[in-house]
Amino acid sequence: MRLTGGAGQRVAWLVLQRMNMKRFSNVRTLFFAPIVLIGLGGPAALAGQNECAGRAADIIRRAYPSATDADDGTLLFEGATITLPKDDNVDGVPHAVICRVWPAQPQLMLIAVPLMIEQSDSENEGDIELLVVDSTNLQIKRLRLDGLMSDDAVRVRSVAFDTARYRFAPGRTAFGLRVSLEGSSRANPFGETTLWLFSIEGDGLKPVLDNIVVGESHGEWDTVCAGEFSETTRTLSMVPSAKAAVADIVVTEKTTTSVNTVGTDNSCNSEDKTTIDKHRLQYDGSGYGVLKDLKRVE
């Protein structure tokens, strides 16, 4: 592919713009239900689509009855700050509460509540608490994910629910949570999106799949033309297991690398290479183990 100098800059900018996406640790209760997982890694519901803006204050006050009002319009709960969404669009506001009606069970509302302990221009510290609210009886199930909103130079860009039909067998479905990170360096762009899956188990929420990177982009360039970029996307699908009644998960990985060089006429030339690989995740009796190379790097 041959590009002019300006086009080469646009390619690098588009790579940076396409980039999506810190820690899933100390979950209060770790349990992986045996499931059959189907669906694509692509998100069915992303940031920018919020379904509780008008009801967020009522929902949060019911879930956190001891929360108090702060002067800036946020709520304070046990040393953490809760930011309510101002409208249905939460793009660019990663610390705001988000909600989605779960299409698989429309009586349930999925809610992600960032609990921010520290916030500054240089770093943030905080958790996410997942809530599932049943409109029929107003019961709330919850699970706190420690440290998931903590960041520094690589910032949390967005939090979103993935409501693709990740079906359990039989008649059970998981929902996903995606957290996207983005670096601030123009010369060394970086982005990463990590997916977790959860299911309702009794009176609580349980992890189904722990921390798999479904999108990552990085690069190094001179900010004009010359440099290298890599972008990887992963999708999930269910396949029958030869050894167990619980299906395996096949992860299809597509990676595109681009090398930009300056031509003799000062044009910017780009050469792309795409590879496709597959990984198989098997249920080991306690959950689907995710290969180290597919997990978020701490």
Side-chain angles (χ1 to χ4, degrees):
M1 185 190 309
R2 183 178 178 84
L3 302 172
T4 64
Q9 294 183 50
R10 286 195 294 274
V11 167
W13 174 247
L14 287 171
V15 170
L16 177 62
Q17 289 298 92
R18 288 202 308 266
M19 293 189 309
N20 293 322
M21 288 245 307
K22 185 165 187 206
R23 177 166 68 237
F24 181 67
S25 61
N26 301 324
V27 175
R28 290 178 177 173
T29 307
L30 286 177
F31 174 87
F32 290 81
I35 67 165
V36 175
L37 178 65
I38 67 173
L40 297 178
L46 291 178
Q49 303 178 34
N50 198 4
E51 297 182 346
C52 70
R55 296 171 288 166
D58 291 339
I59 292 171
I60 295 304
R61 290 186 186 282
R62 177 180 293 275
Y64 304 93
S66 63
T68 58
D69 294 317
D71 293 337
D72 60 359
T74 61
L75 298 176
L76 301 179
F77 173 73
E78 296 182 354
T81 299
I82 299 174
T83 300
L84 300 175
K86 294 188 180 347
D87 52 41
D88 289 336
N89 191 323
V90 292
D91 280 336
V93 192
H95 298 157
V97 174
I98 62 168
C99 306
R100 290 290 294 176
V101 172
W102 192 3
Q105 300 187 62
Q107 77 279 13
L108 301 180
M109 174 79 81
L110 308 176
I111 304 167
V113 183
L115 297 170
M116 303 307 301
I117 300 168
E118 297 287 345
Q119 297 182 77
S120 72
D121 292 336
S122 59
E123 62 180 339
N124 296 287
E125 181 181 351
D127 308 331
I128 286 181
E129 188 153 54
L130 293 180
L131 309 177
V132 176
V133 181
D134 191 326
S135 63
T136 63
N137 54 25
L138 300 182
Q139 288 186 350
I140 299 175
K141 296 177 173 62
R142 62 180 75 207
L143 176 66
R144 187 156 174 165
L145 311 176
D146 295 342
L148 208 60
M149 294 300 294
S150 297
D151 60 24
D152 40 44
V154 179
R155 309 304 292 267
V156 174
R157 173 179 170 269
S158 68
V159 178
F161 283 112
D162 182 343
T163 55
R165 291 199 177 252
Y166 297 103
R167 294 183 186 274
F168 284 59
R172 299 173 64 192
T173 305
F175 66 88
L177 183 75
R178 291 171 176 250
V179 177
S180 296
L181 303 177
E182 188 173 78
S184 59
S185 172
R186 184 165 180 259
N188 298 96
F190 172 82
E192 183 178 83
T193 297
T194 303
L195 170 68
W196 291 263
L197 296 178
F198 305 91
S199 68
I200 295 176
E201 298 290 337
D203 293 330
L205 304 176
K206 308 295 182 182
V208 170
L209 189 67
D210 175 18
N211 178 8
I212 182 170
V213 175
V214 292
E216 56 184 326
S217 300
H218 57 84
E220 182 176 1
W221 69 311
D222 62 4
T223 72
V224 177
C225 170
E228 297 186 12
F229 304 90
S230 177
E231 182 173 14
T232 298
T233 59
R234 297 186 178 100
T235 59
L236 312 179
S237 60
M238 175 274 289
V239 297
S241 172
K243 299 180 179 180
V246 179
D248 296 340
I249 298 172
V250 169
V251 180
T252 302
E253 176 181 287
K254 179 180 178 181
T255 299
T256 299
T257 57
S258 301
V259 178
N260 286 2
T261 56
V262 180
T264 56
D265 57 353
N266 289 325
S267 61
C268 188
N269 304 313
S270 178
E271 183 176 345
D272 300 340
K273 179 182 178 180
T274 297
T275 60
I276 296 177
D277 198 4
K278 291 190 176 184
H279 311 273
R280 198 176 189 102
L281 310 182
Q282 295 182 317
Y283 184 74
D284 62 7
S286 61
Y288 288 99
V290 179
L291 302 173
K292 183 178 179 180
D293 290 345
L294 306 186
K295 285 195 169 192
R296 175 186 292 184
V297 177
E298 298 295 338

